[in-house]
Amino acid sequence: MLTDAKIAGLKAAPGKPVEHADTIVPGLRLRVSAKNKTWLVRARMGGTVRAITIGTYGHETGEVTLAAARAAAVAILDKAKAGAPPLPQAPRRAKVKAKSVSSSVADFVTYCTDDRGMKNPDSYKWMLEKYVTPAIGEWELRAVTKADLKEIIERVRDANGMTTARRVGGVIKRFFRWAAEEDLIAADPGATIRLPGKEVQRERTLTDAEIKALWHVTDPAIDPMALNRAGRVAGHPSQWPWGPFIRLSLLLGQRRGEIANMRWSAVDLDAGTWTMTSANTKSARPQLVPLSEPAIRLLAAMPRYEDCDHVFTTTGAGPIRTFSKCKAMLDAAMMEAMNLKALPHWQLHDLRRTCSTNLAKLKVDPFIRRRVLNHALEGVDKVYDRHDYLDEKRAALDLWAGRVAAIVDGGGPDDDVGQDDAGNVVQFKRRAKA
């Protein structure tokens, strides 16, 4: 059993450090070298045993006493058993002037936004802060190893699935590649990491029955009276802004985030167009989206916040961001409408694929379909073709709007496909700040 008196008498020959086990806390070790005595704990993680350094033994400021080492070792072992990553102490924690992983993540997100113009820096930030910084945020950036990163990716795979692990791993690799390019680290620890599995290409499209149910449950005329546990009207996909958002996603075939970030200043209801600059699209290409008659009626009937340019907002300060609650409400309402106990899994992005697939069924030329979806062009078209193909895209989306109308009620594109007329527009005042 280790005691302060015994530790004081422990010595090691030069170049030959010796580890002494503690019998009180199994796994706790004191490594004694010719220069110092260091606490470490051996913990099993992911099928392998890793040595986690706690700190240097001593009673001075910044040193770790025997009692403190035992307490730290117990905490680390408990976290390891629960699947959480043990957090090392002094040697790998960022010192005052050293770059930590957390501070570097903030710099990386700024770089992605300002210097690179990337369209999804928020998603990079979210993944890094959710999966990486809780584990190694306080570490020195230069102290992170390939084994540390592989362990994080493996933990995400076990808890969240292969696809999420691949995406998180991809962001991790981008982050550390950037750190190496900026000379924040001497070498990139993620350079040779192989991401698990492979990305699965989704094939899901909504059936006609599902499209009909989706359109029905997003009807703004529905007045859901079910109450939740708090005694308030329960959430329903027909409620604003979710109903119009879902319907426009189906009608226009644009990306979920692009529609969520739609601005009134970019919409011309008279001309029937919605303009996206290269800064507003994931593909970094400008896009002029023609609005079909149903889409125009949807937008014309929507309420607006005073002094807010966002079309889809619940706060009057920014666009809608969280889609999981909307999707859960939509699934529940569709299952009830279709009298199903379960609905085959689908994602909001599948509305875009549904639009594209139906355009193909309507014999729309593949080139025009790609222009509707704002996909990348190939060959000389990529360099020299700057035509907006507005008329051709409008004809395609008008065909699709007519098809939606036929699916919903067998009528034409003007038969109950939009919302009420524009006389219901309400001007909302911005909420007062607390």
Side-chain angles (χ1 to χ4, degrees), residues 364-422:
V364 174
D365 185 85
F367 178 82
I368 301 303
R369 295 204 307 269
R370 289 196 294 272
R371 298 308 299 249
V372 168
L373 300 177
N374 201 20
H375 279 171
L377 299 180
E378 300 176 354
V380 295
D381 290 334
K382 181 178 181 180
V383 179
Y384 295 106
D385 191 347
R386 290 295 180 261
H387 183 49
D388 58 29
Y389 291 89
L390 179 62
D391 292 339
E392 293 84 352
K393 291 189 292 186
R394 186 181 300 281
L397 289 179
D398 283 347
L399 275 175
W400 171 226
R403 174 59 184 156
V404 170
I407 292 171
V408 171
D409 56 17
D414 293 328
D415 294 339
D416 195 30
V417 181
Q419 291 193 2
D420 299 332
D421 59 38

Side-chain angles (χ1 to χ4, degrees), residues 70-401:
R70 284 172 173 161
V74 169
I76 290 172
L77 292 168
D78 287 344
K79 287 183 178 180
K81 289 179 181 178
L87 184 64
Q89 299 293 323
R92 297 179 70 173
R93 281 182 180 266
K95 299 178 177 60
V96 175
K97 295 184 179 180
K99 292 289 291 185
S100 69
V101 173
S102 291
S103 63
S104 300
V105 164
D107 293 340
F108 173 65
V109 173
T110 300
Y111 164 80
C112 291
T113 305
D114 298 339
D115 296 345
R116 299 291 295 174
M118 293 183 182
K119 305 307 169 192
N120 54 350
D122 287 344
S123 67
Y124 286 4
K125 181 175 184 288
W126 181 84
M127 281 190 276
L128 289 169
E129 290 183 348
K130 180 176 177 63
Y131 299 109
V132 178
T133 56
I136 59 174
E138 297 183 43
W139 294 16
E140 287 187 34
L141 186 65
R142 62 190 178 191
V144 180
T145 67
K146 177 181 177 180
D148 298 323
L149 300 181
K150 289 181 65 177
E151 184 181 315
I152 292 173
I153 295 171
E154 289 170 2
R155 190 178 303 112
V156 174
R157 179 199 61 195
D158 294 341
N160 305 96
M162 194 72 72
T163 298
T164 301
R166 281 187 62 83
R167 293 177 181 175
V168 172
V171 174
I172 288 174
K173 287 171 71 71
R174 289 188 188 99
F175 169 61
F176 280 94
R177 182 168 63 245
W178 164 82
E181 291 171 351
E182 295 294 312
D183 294 325
L184 300 178
I185 52 179
D188 178 4
T192 58
I193 290 179
R194 293 184 179 180
L195 300 181
K198 62 181 181 179
E199 194 79 25
V200 178
Q201 293 282 19
R202 291 185 54 79
E203 300 177 350
R204 179 78 158 93
T205 60
L206 271 65
T207 65
D208 287 1
E210 290 169 337
I211 292 173
K212 184 172 184 177
L214 177 145
W215 200 268
H216 170 72
V217 301
T218 55
D219 187 346
I222 294 177
D223 186 18
M225 295 305 297
L227 301 181
N228 58 22
R229 294 180 181 178
R232 294 188 291 269
V233 176
H236 193 274
S238 63
Q239 296 167 350
W240 181 84
W242 304 113
F245 168 74
I246 294 165
R247 287 187 169 192
L248 274 182
S249 297
L250 178 67
L251 287 171
L252 301 182
Q254 305 306 302
R255 295 176 178 87
R256 180 189 71 179
E258 292 168 353
I259 293 180
N261 284 279
M262 180 185 289
R263 291 177 176 268
W264 288 114
S265 57
V267 174
D268 187 336
L269 294 181
D270 293 330
T273 58
W274 165 34
T275 303
M276 286 188 284
T277 66
S278 58
N280 302 132
T281 64
K282 179 182 178 182
S283 59
R285 290 182 295 274
Q287 168 76 320
L288 183 61
V289 183
L291 302 174
S292 59
E293 285 300 320
I296 291 174
R297 290 201 298 271
L298 277 166
L299 289 166
M302 284 187 62
R304 305 186 189 186
Y305 274 85
E306 191 176 82
D307 299 327
C308 179
D309 196 32
H310 293 285
V311 175
F312 298 104
T313 178
T314 56
T315 63
I320 54 176
R321 291 292 188 191
T322 305
F323 304 98
S324 57
K325 185 176 180 180
C326 161
K327 179 59 167 53
M329 293 189 300
L330 183 58
D331 283 346
M334 288 175 64
M335 284 190 292
E336 182 179 357
M338 300 174 71
N339 195 26
L340 297 176
K341 292 184 178 179
L343 192 66
H345 177 70
W346 69 284
Q347 300 175 357
L348 290 176
H349 186 78
D350 296 335
L351 296 176
R352 177 172 163 86
R353 187 179 298 104
T354 299
C355 173
S356 177
T357 301
N358 277 274
L359 288 178
K361 291 180 181 179
L362 293 167
K363 310 301 183 183
V364 174
D365 185 85
F367 178 82
I368 301 303
R369 295 204 307 269
R370 289 196 294 272
R371 298 308 299 249
V372 168
L373 300 177
N374 201 20
H375 279 171
L377 299 180
E378 300 176 354
V380 295
D381 290 334
K382 181 178 181 180
V383 179
Y384 295 106
D385 191 347
R386 290 295 180 261
H387 183 49
D388 58 29
Y389 291 89
L390 179 62
D391 292 339
E392 293 84 352
K393 291 189 292 186
R394 186 181 300 281
L397 289 179
D398 283 347
L399 275 175
W400 171 226

